[in-house]
Amino acid sequence: AALFRAAWPLLRTRRPAARLRCLAWRGRLVAAMIYDRQPICDVLRSADADTRLGLMDLRGLPAPFVFVLRREPGTVSPEPQPL
């Protein structure tokens, strides 16, 4: 954690690099991260309260890259804010 805090000023940006959108993908509503400067769309679905399944759709790849995001044990996410 200390290493991450030390590196944070080098990793952040003042300009947006991606947008998070809801969209229909294969007939289901999903969250999608659409990158501004790269031909990538990450599609995310909840598996359970602490796990998200993702597919990275990169132009030129024959199939999507599959990944899993897991919440770090002991962390709590903030309550979602209404739109």
Side-chain angles (χ1 to χ4, degrees):
L3 179 61
F4 182 75
R5 279 192 298 272
W8 180 246
L10 301 172
L11 300 174
R12 72 179 199 192
T13 181
R14 299 203 187 284
R15 292 181 294 172
R19 299 162 199 223
L20 192 59
R21 299 281 189 253
C22 290
L23 52 101
W25 187 76
R26 295 190 179 189
R28 305 207 56 171
L29 193 60
V30 297
M33 180 81 69
I34 302 167
Y35 294 87
D36 294 338
R37 295 178 191 91
Q38 300 175 12
I40 298 172
C41 179
D42 290 337
V43 177
L44 303 163
R45 296 257 338 254
S46 293
D48 60 40
D50 296 320
T51 309
R52 303 296 178 262
L53 302 175
L55 291 172
M56 181 180 72
D57 183 15
L58 174 63
R59 191 178 308 137
L61 282 184
F65 176 78
V66 179
F67 60 94
V68 176
L69 300 174
R70 289 193 180 94
R71 187 185 319 267
E72 191 69 27
T75 61
V76 178
S77 66
E79 290 295 318
Q81 299 298 315
L83 296 175

